Structure formats: C-alpha cells, structure tokens
Amino acid sequence: LKKQAAVIEIIKYVAYFAQEALFKHFEAEENQILVYLLPDDKHRKRVMKEHTEIRTLIQQLISSEPKDSAGLMRLAEVLEAHIRYEEREFFPYLESTLAADELEIIGKEIDHLHVPYIENYPHEFWAN
C-alpha cells in the first residue's frame, strides 16, 4: 500500500500466499506441535483461535466487495500480533513445558515434512 500498489493486486497475492505458504504453515503447527498440548491448554486454544481468525479474515478479504485497504490493514495487524505472540510467548512456553524428547521429535518432524516457501508470484508489485 505504501508503494501505491493496487489493492486488488495485493489481495490476489494474499490469496496466493495463503494457499501456497500460510495455510500450510498453520497446518504444520496444528498437526505437528499443538498435538503435544492438552486440548484445554490456553496457549493451544489461543493459537487455534488466531489461526481461525486469520483464515476468516483472508476469506472475507477475497470475497468482499468493494475491495479496499481496510481489510488488508486489519489482516496485517492481526497477523503481526499473532507472529509476535508466537515468538514472545508461545514458543518459549513450548520450550519450558514440553520434554526434551518431545521437542526433538517435533524438530525432526518439521525438518522432514517442511518444504521451504520460494517466492515465485508472477507479478512483483511490491518491488516497484
């Protein structure tokens, strides 16, 4: 937005990136990390709630008319807050709560299943 990219172009990219990387990242966290926490664990519940909220915001952004920057700004705020929460609270919580062997298993599963995202979106509107 700061570079005056068209809102519709940014939304198209959000949809693309969500399918190619973000949702896969959420699924990995949900299936390879959260399963080590009890269903009623407050951190597990928060991560799941935030993943659901982000998925919903992206769907609303894609399907809403007219396309404007308000939805993009809201998504950016929520996504940034989620990332900060995971970095500052959730991951340290996992390190202090899970046993060393569980953390090792998680690390090996992630190493084995993780496919790094390589940016290849055809229109690099952000580079202008």
Side-chain angles (χ1 to χ4, degrees):
L1 291 172
K2 290 178 185 177
K3 294 187 177 214
Q4 304 301 312
V7 169
I8 190 69
E9 284 299 321
I10 300 171
I11 292 172
K12 286 179 185 177
Y13 176 75
V14 167
Y16 169 83
F17 182 81
Q19 288 300 334
E20 295 297 316
L22 185 62
F23 295 160
K24 293 175 184 177
H25 173 80
F26 286 175
E27 289 172 15
E29 284 184 349
E30 293 164 7
N31 296 324
Q32 296 165 354
I33 298 173
L34 295 182
V35 296
Y36 286 90
L37 299 174
L38 295 173
D40 64 344
D41 181 276
K42 71 177 186 175
H43 292 284
R44 177 186 172 135
K45 287 175 150 182
R46 180 171 173 179
V47 169
M48 290 299 297
K49 180 179 175 258
E50 290 180 6
H51 284 183
T52 299
E53 180 182 12
I54 292 165
R55 286 178 175 113
T56 300
L57 287 171
I58 291 171
Q59 186 55 47
Q60 289 171 347
L61 188 63
I62 293 166
S63 63
S64 71
E65 292 295 335
K67 307 287 188 204
D68 62 37
S69 62
L72 284 169
M73 296 305 294
R74 175 72 182 138
L75 174 61
E77 291 169 4
V78 171
L79 191 54
E80 183 175 4
H82 175 69
I83 292 166
R84 298 298 161 248
Y85 162 71
E86 285 190 341
E87 290 173 345
R88 295 177 183 160
E89 295 180 48
F90 180 61
F91 294 137
Y93 170 74
L94 290 174
E95 291 172 344
S96 69
T97 302
L98 299 180
D101 61 329
E102 292 173 315
L103 293 170
E104 186 176 336
I105 291 168
I106 291 170
K108 286 180 180 178
E109 286 177 0
I110 290 171
D111 285 344
H112 176 72
L113 298 173
H114 178 69
V115 177
Y117 173 73
I118 298 171
E119 183 61 66
N120 62 356
Y121 191 69
H123 178 214
E124 293 185 3
F125 59 86
W126 56 86
N128 297 335

